[in-house]
């Protein structure tokens, strides 16, 4: 376009703005479109923080493992309390139903060791989760979790391949697992329990694994499932956190190479 053409274009645009587009009735009112709905936050992550039971006035440190498919496990590091279930996210609002496992030797207010519970929270993707919980027995509380970049390590069953050992509270070995490069494993503990199962990568971009395990030859025999994550203690990937349950009994294992 030549200079004259550019000037004519600018003049026409100016007239549309200042002269109401050439209409003697003035420019029509412009109605702004509604804002777009908030983007659904991704729920996946490894989180640390606290969870309180306001009925009992107790606050414990927790680790949370969440997958982008909505699987969630809330794990106390101070007791055997665990929550396991599924949540959904709409915008920044997270909600769902979980199974709540009481501490060892303790029941919830209704006398049951395992009850249903609801979770309601606000999530900021890869940043924080803040919310409340309430179980079917009437107990309730709040939680606050913060994102851990440990989640952003790549996942590969080959990284798990090794002999892993778990220790009791006195530092004595009480469980041993042998994990193969394809994620299959076998194990045995001090009570004579025999376990076999499979670790599976959920998303190769994130440090979270599904685990299926069959335990036999002891009082806790059954089919278990859960989540696992590689962690760093004295060296990179030298620790493995495993949280599983069979719907009745939760098991938390901290394993070292």
């Amino acid at each position: 376009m030549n200079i004259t053409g550019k000037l004519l274009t600018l003049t026409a645009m100016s007239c549309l703005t200042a002269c109401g587009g050439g209409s003697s009735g003035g420019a029509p009112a412009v109605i702004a479109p509604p804002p777009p709905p908030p983007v659904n936050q991704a729920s996946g992550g490894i989180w640390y923080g606290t969870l309180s039971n306001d009925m009992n006035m107790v606050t414990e440190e927790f680790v949370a493992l969440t997958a982008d498919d909505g699987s969630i496990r809330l794990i106390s590091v101070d007791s055997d309390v665990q929550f396991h279930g599924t949540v959904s996210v709409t915008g920044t609002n997270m909600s769902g139903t979980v199974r709540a496992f009481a501490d060892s030797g303790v029941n919830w207010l209704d006398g049951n060791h395992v009850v249903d519970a609801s979770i309601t929270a606000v999530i900021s993707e890869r940043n924080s989760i803040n919310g409340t919980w309430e179980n079917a027995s009437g107990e309730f509380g709040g939680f606050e979790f913060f994102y851990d970049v440990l989640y952003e390590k790549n996942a590969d069953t080959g990284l798990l391949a090794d002999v892993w050992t778990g220790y009791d509270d006195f530092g004595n070995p009480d469980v041993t697992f042998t994990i193969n490069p394809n994620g299959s494993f076998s194990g045995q503990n001090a009570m004579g329990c025999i376990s076999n199962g499979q670790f599976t990568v959920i998303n190769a971009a994130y440090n979270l694994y599904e685990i299926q395990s069959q335990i036999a030859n002891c009082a806790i025999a059954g089919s278990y499932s859960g989540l696992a994550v590689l962690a760093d203690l004295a060296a990179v990937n030298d620790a493995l956190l495993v949280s599983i349950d069979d719907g009745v009994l939760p098991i938390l294992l901290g394993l070292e190479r």
Side-chain angles (χ1 to χ4, degrees), residues 4 8 11 25-26 51 60 74 90 104 113 121 134 179 187 193 198 203 214 226 251-252 257:
T4 302
L8 289 173
T11 301
L51 183 145
E60 299 182 7
L74 310 181
T90 302
S104 295
H113 185 70
E134 182 175 2
I179 305 177
C193 296
Q198 181 73 43
N203 183 329
Q214 191 71 34
I251 297 175
L252 177 63
R257 294 184 192 268

Side-chain angles (χ1 to χ4, degrees), residues 119-132:
I119 286 177
T120 303
V122 173
I123 179 172
S124 174
E125 182 177 321
R126 312 294 193 253
N127 183 31
S128 64
I129 303 176
N130 295 278
T132 60

Side-chain angles (χ1 to χ4, degrees), residues 26-46:
V30 177
I31 301 176
V39 176
N40 292 344
Q41 303 290 283
S43 59
I46 298 170

Side-chain angles (χ1 to χ4, degrees), residues 6 19 21 30 35 114-115 132 142 158 160 222 241:
K6 289 182 180 179
C19 306
V30 177
V114 185
V115 298
T132 60
L160 307 178
L241 179 69

Side-chain angles (χ1 to χ4, degrees), residues 189 191-195 215-222 224:
N189 70 7
M191 296 187 299
C193 296
I194 304 296
S195 60
I215 298 178
N217 201 43
C218 62
I220 63 172
Y224 291 75

Side-chain angles (χ1 to χ4, degrees), residues 27 31 39 57 59 63 65 111 116 120 123 146 155 182-183 201-202 226 255:
I31 301 176
V39 176
M57 299 180 66
T59 299
V63 172
L65 306 180
D116 289 332
T120 303
I123 179 172
F146 299 96
N182 66 356
V201 172
I202 299 173
L255 306 173

Side-chain angles (χ1 to χ4, degrees), residues 39-43 87-95 123:
V39 176
N40 292 344
Q41 303 290 283
S43 59
V87 294
S88 61
V89 177
T90 302
T92 59
N93 296 316
M94 170 186 282
S95 62
I123 179 172

